[in-house]
Amino acid sequence: MSARKIIIDTDPGQDDAVAILLALASPELELLGISCVAGNVPLALTSKNARIVCELAGRPEVRVFAGCDRPMARPLVTAEHVHGKTGLDGIDLPDPSMPLQDQHSVDFLIETLRTEPAGTVTICPIGPLTNIATAMERAPDIIPRIQEIVLMGGAYFEVGNITPTAEFNIYVDPEAAKIVFGAGVPLTVMPLDVTHKALTTRARVEAFRALPGRVGPAVASWTDFFERYDKEKYGSEGAPLHDPCTVAYLLKPELFSGRHINVEVETGAELTLGMTVADWWRVTTRTPNANFIGGVDADGFFALLTERLARL
């Protein structure tokens, strides 16, 4: 069985880094490239951080592209308060020596989707959706060629983590999210409703730290850094590993459960800007457009993650 072709669109971020590592450790996936976007930190840092992660994994041949440096219609909002000034605070890692590709992320996305056979490329966005929506607007012909989009973003029962009603990735560029959610592409969404159930615990972090090589201890160090924010905010035992849920779903969808429902993105209201309005109870007649995930086998998720990180 051939590997599933994927593109990760990302704004690393410690949990983004773990998602990239999980993909690189999994032979079931063929990572065609990493497309970077401004989000957790500005674009210069996200594109640098993606290359740091590839080199940490011993994969300097992976192509990394820099994309949009600001949302489609709004000033950039960043999250250094969570991820630190570099986006990868927690452990000192050397600057990357591998090159950043000359091509813009949006052009890479368009070219790849036009070149690869239709229906064979999955896009895995784990940051704001600016690059994806810009590519869709610039080249609508790519939309039916996408196999699936599996993204981390949004919330419904968990409401918001950057405002009372909005999750960060969607809030940063709600206009982009509205385009992606309305594109008609097969869409699976990992909202806070599921990622807040994929919590680190001390035992899970120490299992990372005990892995041989450099990757496990680096992941443990990143987790030590950013979990302090979530533990204080939510009063939880650990922090959610949001973004690796997307890659884990590609590897073992049976770990997750959800519903195929309608999800709309609010772009016009002051109090609920960026809210993903999920018709979980199917009380409207709006057409379902997303597989909205709500449950995860957390033990199975962390077992998969630990086993794969041990390979790097």
Side-chain angles (χ1 to χ4, degrees):
M1 187 173 174
S2 58
R4 182 170 184 168
K5 297 174 182 178
I6 69 166
I7 296 169
I8 293 179
D9 189 85
T10 179
D11 60 337
Q14 292 94 345
D15 58 324
D16 304 73
V18 179
I20 293 168
L21 291 170
L22 178 57
L24 291 175
S26 298
E28 302 98 318
L29 303 176
E30 179 186 351
L31 183 57
L32 301 178
I34 296 174
S35 163
C36 298
V37 68
N40 285 323
V41 287
L43 181 66
L45 285 172
T46 63
S47 55
K48 175 183 177 180
N49 290 346
R51 289 176 288 148
I52 289 173
V53 174
C54 290
E55 291 192 353
L56 175 67
R59 295 289 301 277
E61 78 283 1
V62 175
R63 295 186 298 162
V64 177
F65 302 82
C68 298
D69 64 357
R70 61 178 67 88
M72 298 182 85
R74 300 176 186 275
L76 177 64
V77 175
T78 55
E80 288 89 349
H81 61 290
V82 180
H83 298 281
K85 66 183 187 300
T86 71
L88 284 183
D89 283 21
I91 186 173
D92 289 329
L93 293 169
D95 286 347
S97 58
M98 62 185 280
L100 187 65
Q101 300 296 308
D102 292 333
Q103 191 177 31
H104 192 283
S105 285
V106 171
D107 296 322
F108 161 67
L109 287 162
I110 293 170
E111 180 184 280
T112 303
L113 288 163
R114 284 175 172 170
T115 303
E116 296 289 340
T120 64
V121 177
T122 294
I123 301 176
C124 191
I126 50 179
L129 290 162
T130 315
N131 287 338
I132 313 304
T134 302
M136 288 178 168
E137 283 213 320
R138 193 174 298 174
D141 60 286
I142 67 173
I143 294 173
R145 300 182 67 85
I146 299 170
Q147 180 178 8
E148 185 179 8
I149 294 175
V150 180
L151 67 85
M152 190 276 134
Y156 190 64
F157 294 103
E158 289 286 314
V159 288
N161 64 355
I162 188 68
T163 75
T165 57
E167 179 276 330
F168 177 81
N169 286 344
I170 306 299
Y171 178 78
V172 169
D173 199 341
E175 284 77 18
K178 192 175 187 73
I179 290 168
V180 173
F181 276 73
V185 175
L187 179 64
T188 293
V189 179
M190 296 287 163
L192 300 182
D193 304 298
V194 65
T195 67
H196 279 183
K197 296 169 185 170
L199 291 175
T200 60
T201 62
R202 188 44 36 195
R204 289 166 176 167
V205 174
E206 294 309 317
F208 295 149
R209 202 183 317 276
L211 294 176
R214 299 189 303 156
V215 170
V219 170
S221 180
W222 289 332
T223 305
D224 286 340
F225 178 84
F226 79 82
E227 76 174 2
R228 92 229 176 274
Y229 174 81
D230 289 290
K231 287 166 76 171
E232 180 179 343
K233 180 178 179 181
Y234 298 113
S236 55
E237 182 180 359
L241 275 182
H242 305 284
D243 295 332
C245 288
T246 57
V247 179
Y249 176 83
L250 294 176
L251 297 169
K252 284 196 169 186
E254 65 271 17
L255 293 174
F256 298 89
S257 60
R259 293 185 183 183
H260 190 232
I261 58 171
N262 178 268
V263 182
E264 303 291 339
V265 179
E266 179 59 68
T267 58
E270 180 182 357
L271 292 178
T272 56
L273 178 67
M275 183 177 184
T276 45
V277 182
D279 187 10
W280 184 260
W281 302 115
R282 300 186 177 105
V283 295
T284 75
T285 58
R286 292 194 290 265
T287 303
N289 62 343
N291 179 25
F292 199 77
I293 302 298
V296 61
D297 172 357
D299 288 337
F301 168 76
F302 278 96
L304 172 67
L305 187 54
T306 304
E307 183 267 322
R308 293 304 169 93
L309 294 179
R311 301 180 179 190
L312 295 173

